[in-house]
Amino acid sequence: MAVHNEAKIGEIAKTVLMPGDPMRAKYIAENFLEDYKLVNQVRGMLAFTGKYKGKEITVMASGMGMPSIGIYAHELYKIYDVDNIIRIGSCGGHVEKLKLLDVVLVDGVYTEGNFAKNLTGNECHFIKASNYLNKVIEDTAQEINQKYVKGNMACTECFDPYLDDPMSFTNRIPKEYEAMGSEMESFALFYTANHLGKNAACLLTVSDSLCFKEELTSEQRQLSMNDMIKLALEASIKL
Ligand code: HPA
């Protein structure tokens, strides 16, 4: 048991898939896992452990934003001795090359925020995903013919569509990082993993964009989510 997780030691697998939304964790368990069991429901942050093609996997929600995923990832790595966390979420695009519904594999992530300074006292604003996990995910994507765009993202504390002036935000991101878009959790996940000597990666689907105004149907969203979920699960069985 941990402060924010009632799972018993041993009830969480070595590899955890982390969507933001608890209902998505339930959806993944119900549609992709066998013999699954609900192992946490503290604060509604549902976690299910089951089997995918015979391999034990846990799917646990992270909630939204760096503080939320920072807490759950910390407990998973430190208390439950989890080795790998793959976040599976959504993002907004900042550049035209990133189309709605594209699957993104995050290489590195920039933040203006102070998560790193808060946790460890270090002034760190850019961090990379685990090379090992990204390599397994890229090899798997090739094998199952799943297209993806690999690149850097910005990790924000406000949802892009709600910003007063989105352009002043994107213009402040140092050009060297070539951020393709925004999401709100991966910096805290990667930094926590790095700090604790563990592995983390992040797959995203593009759900909105500063460049395109189209609205997606919920069916379109679900289908592209399914592609990303399958990629994460197929990669997980190789870990
Ligand atoms: N900004 C930040 N996080 C997000 C976005 C966005 O536009 N879309 C989905 N998650």
Side-chain angles (χ1 to χ4, degrees), residues 90-92 156 158-161 182-184 207-208:
S90 60
C91 66
T156 67
C158 301
F159 185 55
D160 286 359
S182 298
E183 55 79 68
M184 304 181 74
S207 62
D208 54 281

Short mmCIF file of all heavy atoms in Angstrom, two decimals, residues 90-92 156 158-161 182-184 207-208, ligand 1:
data_model
loop_
_atom_site.label_atom_id
_atom_site.label_comp_id
_atom_site.label_asym_id
_atom_site.label_seq_id
_atom_site.Cartn_x
_atom_site.Cartn_y
_atom_site.Cartn_z
N SER A 90 -3.11 12.19 -24.77
CA SER A 90 -3.41 13.01 -25.95
C SER A 90 -2.60 14.29 -25.86
O SER A 90 -2.05 14.64 -24.81
CB SER A 90 -4.91 13.32 -26.02
OG SER A 90 -5.29 14.03 -24.87
N CYS A 91 -2.51 14.98 -27.00
CA CYS A 91 -1.72 16.22 -27.02
C CYS A 91 -2.34 17.19 -28.01
O CYS A 91 -3.15 16.82 -28.86
CB CYS A 91 -0.27 15.94 -27.40
SG CYS A 91 -0.03 15.35 -29.08
N GLY A 92 -1.90 18.44 -27.90
CA GLY A 92 -2.25 19.46 -28.88
C GLY A 92 -1.05 19.68 -29.79
O GLY A 92 0.08 19.56 -29.35
N THR A 156 3.00 21.41 -20.32
CA THR A 156 2.45 22.69 -19.84
C THR A 156 1.64 22.52 -18.55
O THR A 156 1.31 21.40 -18.15
CB THR A 156 1.53 23.29 -20.91
OG1 THR A 156 0.39 22.45 -21.03
CG2 THR A 156 2.22 23.40 -22.24
N CYS A 158 -1.14 24.64 -18.29
CA CYS A 158 -2.46 25.09 -18.73
C CYS A 158 -2.75 24.46 -20.09
O CYS A 158 -1.86 24.33 -20.91
CB CYS A 158 -2.52 26.61 -18.89
SG CYS A 158 -2.16 27.52 -17.40
N PHE A 159 -3.99 24.09 -20.30
CA PHE A 159 -4.44 23.49 -21.56
C PHE A 159 -4.36 24.55 -22.66
O PHE A 159 -4.96 25.63 -22.52
CB PHE A 159 -5.88 23.02 -21.30
CG PHE A 159 -6.54 22.26 -22.38
CD1 PHE A 159 -5.96 21.11 -22.92
CD2 PHE A 159 -7.79 22.65 -22.85
CE1 PHE A 159 -6.61 20.38 -23.90
CE2 PHE A 159 -8.44 21.93 -23.83
CZ PHE A 159 -7.84 20.79 -24.36
N ASP A 160 -3.65 24.24 -23.75
CA ASP A 160 -3.42 25.23 -24.83
C ASP A 160 -4.68 26.01 -25.26
O ASP A 160 -4.64 27.23 -25.39
CB ASP A 160 -2.87 24.57 -26.10
CG ASP A 160 -1.41 24.17 -25.96
OD1 ASP A 160 -0.82 24.40 -24.90
OD2 ASP A 160 -0.86 23.61 -26.94
N PRO A 161 -5.80 25.29 -25.52
CA PRO A 161 -6.97 26.04 -26.02
C PRO A 161 -7.49 27.09 -25.04
O PRO A 161 -8.28 27.97 -25.43
CB PRO A 161 -8.02 24.94 -26.25
CG PRO A 161 -7.21 23.70 -26.48
CD PRO A 161 -6.02 23.84 -25.58
N SER A 182 1.93 20.27 -27.30
CA SER A 182 1.86 20.30 -25.83
C SER A 182 1.08 19.13 -25.27
O SER A 182 0.08 18.71 -25.86
CB SER A 182 1.09 21.51 -25.32
OG SER A 182 1.64 22.70 -25.63
N GLU A 183 1.49 18.70 -24.12
CA GLU A 183 0.68 17.83 -23.26
C GLU A 183 1.01 18.25 -21.84
O GLU A 183 1.68 19.26 -21.65
CB GLU A 183 0.88 16.35 -23.58
CG GLU A 183 2.31 15.86 -23.53
CD GLU A 183 2.80 15.60 -22.14
OE1 GLU A 183 2.29 14.66 -21.51
OE2 GLU A 183 3.72 16.31 -21.69
N MET A 184 0.57 17.53 -20.82
CA MET A 184 0.67 18.10 -19.49
C MET A 184 1.28 17.17 -18.43
O MET A 184 1.21 17.47 -17.24
CB MET A 184 -0.72 18.58 -19.03
CG MET A 184 -1.31 19.57 -20.02
SD MET A 184 -2.92 20.19 -19.56
CE MET A 184 -2.47 21.29 -18.24
N SER A 207 -5.05 15.42 -30.41
CA SER A 207 -6.50 15.61 -30.29
C SER A 207 -6.94 17.02 -30.65
O SER A 207 -8.12 17.28 -30.85
CB SER A 207 -6.95 15.28 -28.86
OG SER A 207 -6.33 16.16 -27.95
N ASP A 208 -6.01 17.96 -30.68
CA ASP A 208 -6.33 19.32 -31.10
C ASP A 208 -5.06 19.97 -31.60
O ASP A 208 -3.97 19.41 -31.45
CB ASP A 208 -6.96 20.14 -29.96
CG ASP A 208 -6.10 20.14 -28.72
OD1 ASP A 208 -6.13 19.15 -27.96
OD2 ASP A 208 -5.37 21.12 -28.51
N1 HPA B 1 -2.46 21.25 -24.47
C1 HPA B 1 -2.04 20.57 -23.42
N2 HPA B 1 -2.41 19.32 -23.20
C2 HPA B 1 -3.22 18.74 -24.08
C3 HPA B 1 -3.68 19.42 -25.20
C4 HPA B 1 -3.27 20.74 -25.40
O1 HPA B 1 -3.65 21.40 -26.38
N3 HPA B 1 -4.50 18.59 -25.88
C5 HPA B 1 -4.52 17.42 -25.20
N4 HPA B 1 -3.75 17.51 -24.11
#
